[in-house]
Amino acid sequence: MTEFTPSPGFEEELRRALATPEPDPGFVQALRSRLSAQTGSPARPRSFCLRPAWGILLGLVLFVILTVFIVGPQRVAAEVQKLFGYIPGFGIVEQNASLRMLEEPVTQTRNGITVTVEQAFLTPDKTVLTYTVEGVPWSALSHQENVVGCSAGAELHLPDGTLLKLTAGESRLQEFTLDYAPIPGNVNQATFVLPCIMDTLPGLAPENWELPLRFAASPPALTVMPVIEVSPSPEPQVNTPAASKNPLVLLKVVDTGDNYVLLGEFRPSDALDPSLPAGSWWSLTDAVRITDARGQDVFYTGPNDPSLQLPPSQRGAEPWAYQIGKTFAPPLTITYTGRYTIPADPTAKAEYVFDAGTNPQPGQEWVVNQDFELAGHVVRLVSIQAVSESGYEFSLESSDTSVCSVGVTIAGYAAQGGGGGGPPGKWSEGLDYAERPKGKLDVVLSNLTLYGEFKTWQVQWTPETPQPGSPSLYGISLAVDNYVPLDDGYYLIGHTNWTDERIASALPAGLGLKAYDANGQELTFEPANWQDAGLTPEPNQWLYRLTGKSFNTPLTLRATQMFVAFKQPVKMTLDLRSYGFDGSDAQLGMIWKLGGAIPLDVPGLPANVFKVTYVKQGDMKGFVIGINADAALQGLPFAIESGLNTAGMATVSSFGDSNRDESSGLVLSTVLTDAKITFPLVLTASDATVNGRWETTWNLPLR
Amino acid sequence: MDETILVSSAQRDPAQFAALYDRYFRPIYHYLYNRAGSRADAEDLTAQTFLAALEALPGYRHRGHFAAWLFTIARNKARDFNRNGVSQAPLDENHPDGSEDLLSQAVRNDQIKQLANLFKKSTEDEQELMRLRYVADLSFVEIGVCLGRKEDTVKKTFYRLLARLQDQLGVSHD
């Protein structure tokens, strides 16, 4: 068969037939700024409108003098409505929706690779299926950009031959969640067909997997977690005539047991200020903040379950989802801080002609140093440089602090891309072309935008029912049971209570329990030895020695750190094979940044694995696991549950330790072993060190 | 910079996502404009696409197919948009770059209009194929990943489609 070869002219015409207008530079910059702010870090140097140091400095130094308009805080009443429920792995469903599920997980292992269909949910609207893949060797995967591994989507085959194709999908490490069209209510079987394992190269991993699935009505005991429908009440308070609505809206709160997931959206159209010129926009300048009643930051992450997201309720709305723990002091306040960007006179422009010559070379520079006035604002074109294979970079500066950006084009040439950014008052704008323009070029400066006022949007939420023990973490409390007089003081014997059923024990950490007299003066108070005291402890009892007898009562005993043991250990499966880990010494010190891809189910405290470092200490090798977690979590020591090859070893030594690293803000958990590490490596943490504030008082009884 | 490095940098440090944004903003925007038919909707969908991509980036692991992954998100956003009852507006704007004389431009514009009409009469699958190739500038491999088809299949379907269009246009470009 002779393959048709289109003429270049025909293809070019087709391209032009499908062409669409160029984007508004203001939008390009605004979205870039929004994304920069969304990353939770200051805008990067390449960010154009929000110059990084500018953003940080102004955010910190000028905070008090900014014109901040606060809508609200919009108090929101929480109203539990039983209209919706949340099913992990599926998302939010109507409570009365007919729901079927996979009868049981189905697994198949071939050549050491295991494919498991873990769960499936069937509703009249869609079918959602989750499958996992384990044991894929690194050697079977594609590692080069130009070498394509398997990318075929899994299909569902129904008994009558109907083929359900993938409509959407997400993956997280080795777990794939796939959406399909709904399966008819009278069909209770299907075959999951996986043509090949994602990313594997042909012939290096088993292909054509077929797993038979059976579906059944969802059991009455199916865990459907409550979804709290949040309705604004009263109507958003408005303290500026510029806005009619609060663009920051909290719509639903999902109670996942351990955490809350706050679901809402930002509606940019409601952030528009009609008093500003058309085309003005508001964008985030700082990371989104969630704070408690005391104004302290509440740690948040994205939801552990990617299915927990809302579609936009209206055109242009930007949905968000924040997962938080339950130990905050309500009300909770979500804050978006940003400012307006205002287009200056759109007709204002300036031109500069320069001769790039017939063969401009990368790195070649033309010094300009010429001031141009646009709409009454002065911008200096410092220089022009030929960059990359086909582009130019324009260096600009302005001492006018209101100048945000200026658009740069070369008349008669359509750029294919570009970007810009730089420190305050000094920035660059890059333009890429299919072919570098040559000869005399007319550089046009236009579309000047200016910084407008800062504005903050807030929304508040208070849980309808207080959480167990809230705001005390795990509902822990202290009590003094008894005392023993000594010559120079007292033994104090006490115990710890807790209301959170996930906790097996809780004890004040070593020096984490302190004593204060009635005047707030700290007393000498140290852990004591039960044997020395001739006493036998009851479970969860603690013994401290108070030195001195002349103090004003009542005493306040205050713990700021606790060791807690969990009834269900926190489990984590680490498999770095698909990240290229081979266990060789050459990889010691290597860091795998997972960026939160492994969520950790620490009771009540959001946490996820941020990075893993391969380390060696003495004869032992292992990992330092960097955990991004709620500030209350101070330590989460992992032990190795499985994943060691101990063949030929008489004894195996392992080591685990954990602490919070102040410089990185991460909880570091070190696991080491002298055995050979294999994957998947299963780690468990049975206890944790947590910070908090727990108090009790004690009066010396009268004798 | 190599895309793999850009992607892994952004996975390590989300602030590095800006480099990916710079690289993919235009193709994503133009693709979504073509799907949605208006500037406002294209902007909405582009914002949704990049925000979703930023959020989902830690879980991204399809090495070598970042563009395809990103366009899959964009396609999902566009599909949701169309599902919500918003019909696709016609694309009848042409954008000559001013490099031709007026007569040539007029002749060419007429052919472009005919092609635009043929595009509109094509099936949704065919339109999507052309968009991904000519608006999004994806390679056949990437289109294959996006559509869940083999590269060869995509290529054959595509060239069959082009042959038909050229035949329908009745214009020789040899």
Side-chain angles (χ1 to χ4, degrees), chain A residues 11 20 22 44 145 167 416, chain B residues 4 15 21 26 30 79 134:
Chain A
E11 286 208 281
T20 55
E22 286 302 304
R44 294 192 55 240
E145 283 294 309
T167 56
Q416 293 196 323
Chain B
T4 313
Y21 173 78
R26 283 175 53 85
H30 285 298
R79 188 195 57 208
Y134 289 134

Side-chain angles (χ1 to χ4, degrees), chain B residues 71-90:
Chain B
F71 271 93
T72 302
I73 295 174
R75 293 183 74 228
N76 287 340
K77 296 293 177 192
R79 188 195 57 208
D80 291 346
F81 171 78
N82 288 330
R83 263 191 201 155
N84 290 340
V86 184
S87 61
Q88 193 177 309

